[in-house]
Amino acid sequence: MYSKEDLENLKLKAILYLHSQRGQYSGYQECSVIYRNKSSSYFNNIMRSGRRGGNGIMATYIKDNNGDPQCPINNNLDGLFFSCNTDFDTGMPPEHSPFGEKRLCIDAYEMLFLDDHRMYFSDFYCFNSNKRGHYVNIVVTTPGSEADDFCKQHLVAISRKKNPFIYCRRGSKTPRVSCGVRVEIFFTDDVNIKELLREELASFEDCECTGYSKPNGLPKNLNCPHCNLEESDDSDTESCSDSDDSNSVPSYQYSLQNSWSWRYYNECI
């Protein structure tokens, strides 16, 4: 399992990758909703009343092995995944999903930024095909909860107002999400869908289901040079620095510090 120092280094690699993107992948887009795709039967069971139904409460469950096998939250933390990124042309969630034909959309500001939630960086990865780009996972917790205690011990905290992945400036109610990576939110509280629907903060919509999801998650591409921590990182330190300082940084940190994105990174932490 990754240490907090490992995760800090993985976060730096995510930022370096993010700021290496060009064109439409180099900026930010508005994130008015976060969304979750599942089968119709999944949501029907949640919305069903009575002892056999969920009574409108979408309950958290244990995180699977999707992504980096060393991610600390794998099989250790309960939550619900939501996607953030939208189609570049329409500004809306994509018309298709491998996770199911029914989509729940929830107001992003209400869900992530209105209450006093905390955010933590937990993972940066791509899959073996490498056709769907890179993913960053952000864990959202309630202060004082068991999930928050776990995250404070094992993950890297990030600011909700200043971070390179998803943020909301003071005075704004429209979050912005990076176009350079696919940001996924792991929300660690149960979600009362009925209440959100009643307050018109959530809605259901249909989409095309393309493919299927693997029950225990998809493995990370361990050969990708962008999102893996390699043993050679430490050995490269001498060749990347003119200093004999024993506190020299790994090569990817050196690259970040000497890029235009380093100043932006410092503004976001």
Side-chain angles (χ1 to χ4, degrees):
M1 185 173 75
Y2 281 147
S3 66
K4 291 184 73 170
E5 182 180 1
D6 292 331
L7 280 181
E8 183 65 44
N9 289 334
L10 192 63
K11 185 184 75 171
L12 291 180
K13 296 199 77 167
I15 297 170
L16 183 61
Y17 174 82
L18 191 161
H19 289 290
S20 72
Q21 302 302 290
R22 296 294 180 265
Q24 64 182 356
Y25 298 102
S26 64
Y28 288 80
Q29 58 186 179
E30 291 187 351
C31 175
S32 59
V33 298
I34 58 174
Y35 54 94
R36 178 174 170 83
N37 282 86
K38 286 292 183 179
S39 66
S40 296
S41 59
Y42 169 85
F43 286 117
N44 288 341
N45 288 334
I46 290 174
M47 301 306 293
R48 184 178 296 117
S49 301
R51 291 189 300 174
R52 295 186 177 181
N55 296 290
I57 305 297
M58 185 164 57
T60 61
Y61 54 90
I62 197 72
K63 163 73 168 63
D64 61 16
N65 290 313
N66 195 75
D68 198 307
Q70 300 300 318
C71 178
I73 70 173
N74 289 358
N75 301 303
N76 284 318
L77 197 63
D78 289 351
L80 299 163
F81 267 114
F82 292 87
S83 298
C84 299
N85 298 81
T86 58
D87 185 272
F88 286 116
D89 296 324
T90 66
M92 303 297 292
E95 296 180 352
H96 52 79
S97 169
F99 302 109
E101 73 282 358
K102 184 68 69 175
R103 174 178 293 148
L104 172 68
C105 298
I106 304 177
D107 184 281
Y109 177 78
E110 180 79 19
M111 192 75 163
L112 304 178
F113 296 96
L114 185 60
D115 294 327
D116 191 24
H117 290 122
R118 288 176 177 157
M119 285 186 173
Y120 298 87
F121 172 89
S122 68
D123 206 355
F124 173 49
Y125 59 92
C126 68
F127 295 114
N128 289 331
S129 67
N130 206 25
K131 293 180 180 179
R132 289 178 286 181
H134 281 74
Y135 292 76
V136 164
N137 288 354
I138 303 298
V139 179
V140 176
T141 66
T142 296
S145 64
E146 290 186 10
D148 189 56
D149 290 341
F150 176 89
C151 292
K152 282 192 291 186
Q153 182 177 356
H154 296 286
L155 302 184
V156 175
I158 59 175
S159 168
R160 294 192 303 167
K161 295 175 182 176
K162 283 188 176 183
N163 77 77
F165 310 116
I166 181 170
Y167 66 90
C168 191
R169 297 298 193 197
R170 181 173 297 176
S172 173
K173 292 187 177 181
T174 305
R176 297 182 66 82
V177 63
S178 171
C179 299
V181 292
R182 298 195 177 192
V183 178
E184 295 195 335
I185 300 296
F186 191 66
F187 196 78
T188 57
D189 290 336
D190 294 345
V191 176
N192 190 330
I193 300 178
K194 281 189 175 180
E195 182 178 337
L196 291 171
L197 291 173
R198 185 168 54 250
E199 296 178 358
E200 299 184 348
L201 295 172
S203 62
F204 282 109
E205 61 184 33
D206 297 323
C207 67
E208 180 184 358
C209 183
T210 55
Y212 58 92
S213 59
K214 191 175 180 180
N216 200 33
L218 293 172
K220 176 181 184 175
N221 178 8
L222 297 178
N223 296 316
C224 177
H226 302 294
C227 59
N228 285 285
L229 298 180
E230 301 175 359
E231 292 182 3
S232 59
D233 285 334
D234 292 329
S235 62
D236 288 345
T237 298
E238 265 188 71
S239 62
C240 288
S241 175
D242 295 329
S243 171
D244 293 330
D245 188 353
S246 61
N247 292 323
S248 297
V249 296
S251 58
Y252 51 85
Q253 289 192 33
Y254 180 83
S255 298
L256 180 61
Q257 289 175 358
N258 285 273
S259 71
W260 64 269
S261 60
W262 180 248
R263 183 175 64 180
Y264 178 83
Y265 168 71
N266 281 314
E267 291 174 352
C268 287
I269 59 175

